[in-house]
């Protein structure tokens, strides 16, 4: 990890990787979505509305996984002061928020024909909404504390923002276990480490969309990291020119 | 209840939001890297 501490070395790897991840991810997600819409049978209970699974589950996975990535980056910034950790946390926040929002929206759209309601204040939906607001809070805090301490220089985040990112990770296991801990309209866990309760003929396109959207997410994070690094470079040069 | 309008809404929203996010991040990256390159050449 410390081999990537040098932004120039990181950029050397990130430049060719960005289009590969973005285009590969978009291609896989498109094929998975097409298969989910046309190649799988309708569910015996939910009918065709089960097809929303192929976009809803990857959005949920990336909303939660995004915050775990953000929290690891914040921990790396606090403990090792890795120069790219704060930039990675900042880069993850926006796509993480978008996918958390998509999870809420597609879940709500799925809920109307399946449960007969757009929204229910139960454990799963409320904790996911909390995650969405945590992302918004992280983005606001990162912007508000720009340049307030040494760590926030060069496009990184302040110590307070990093602690916020770390503490917010408490919400992720709450989202995951909410359907077990509380009675909910939301179905229980269908995919666990022990296997899946979803029929294989319905499940397979989900692997394609989940992998596709994950690669796409990684491509977006690299784009944002490159933009933040370039912006920090411009700012530093302007400061040097103004001082000269 | 016919589920297809809901399916179309979910897929349409996901596709549009993802495409907008990719487009915005790509153009922001290109703009920032061009500005850094122009400043380096000055």
């Amino acid at each position: 990890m410390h081999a990537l501490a040098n932004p120039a070395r990181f950029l050397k790897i990130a430049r060719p990787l960005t289009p590969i991840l973005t285009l590969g991810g978009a291609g896989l997600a498109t094929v998975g979505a097409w298969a989910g819409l046309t190649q799988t049978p309708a569910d015996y209970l939910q009918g065709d509305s089960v097809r929303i699974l192929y976009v809803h589950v990857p959005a949920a996975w990336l909303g939660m996984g995004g915050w775990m990535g953000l929290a690891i980056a914040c921990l790396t910034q606090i403990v090792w002061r890795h120069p790219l950790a704060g930039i990675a946390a900042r880069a993850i926040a926006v796509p993480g928020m978008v996918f958390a929002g998509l999870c809420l929206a597609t879940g709500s759209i799925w809920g109307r024909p399946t449960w007969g309601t757009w929204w229910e204040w139960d454990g799963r939906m409320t904790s996911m909404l909390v995650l969405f607001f945590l992302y918004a809070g992280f983005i606001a805090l990162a912007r508000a504390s720009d340049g307030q301490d040494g760590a926030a220089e060069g496009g990184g985040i302040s110590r307070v923002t990093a602690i916020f990112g770390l503490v917010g990770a408490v919400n992720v296991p709450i989202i995951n276990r909410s359907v077990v801990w509380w009675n909910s309209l939301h179905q229980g866990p269908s995919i666990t480490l022990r296997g899946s309760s979803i029929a294989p003929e319905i499940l397979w396109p989900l692997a394609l969309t989940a992998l596709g959207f994950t690669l796409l997410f990684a491509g977006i994070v690299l784009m944002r990291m490159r933009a933040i690094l370039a912006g920090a470079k411009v700012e530093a040069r302007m400061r040097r020119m103004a001082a000269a | 209840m016919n589920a297809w309008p809901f399916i179309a809404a979910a897929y349409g929203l996901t596709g549009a939001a993802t495409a907008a996010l990719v487009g915005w991040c790509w153009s922001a990256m290109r703009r920032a890297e061009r500005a850094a390159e122009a400043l380096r050449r000055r």
Side-chain angles (χ1 to χ4, degrees), chain A residues 21 23 26 32 36 43 90 102 109 111 120 128 142 168 181 199 202 239 242:
Chain A
L21 290 172
L23 295 174
D43 181 63
R90 186 177 274 226
L102 279 173
I109 292 168
E120 181 73 23
M128 198 67 203
W181 290 340
I202 287 180
R239 213 177 294 140

Side-chain angles (χ1 to χ4, degrees), chain A residues 93-163:
Chain A
V94 171
M97 184 178 168
V98 168
F99 280 100
L102 279 173
C103 169
L104 290 166
T106 54
S108 180
I109 292 168
W110 195 356
R112 184 69 186 91
T114 312
W115 306 327
T117 182
W118 296 99
W119 185 262
E120 181 73 23
W121 289 103
D122 71 356
R124 174 57 66 89
M125 282 168 260
T126 307
S127 55
M128 198 67 203
L129 185 63
V130 168
L131 179 69
F132 179 80
F133 288 128
L134 281 173
Y135 274 120
F138 183 89
I139 293 164
L141 199 56
R143 277 173 168 265
S145 58
D146 260 350
Q148 271 187 10
D149 59 35
E153 284 170 12
I157 53 170
S158 67
R159 198 174 170 80
V160 173
T161 315
I163 291 169

Side-chain angles (χ1 to χ4, degrees), chain A residues 167-179:
Chain A
V167 173
V170 170
N171 188 46
V172 175
I174 294 175
I175 299 171
N176 183 262
R177 302 310 294 164
S178 58
V179 286

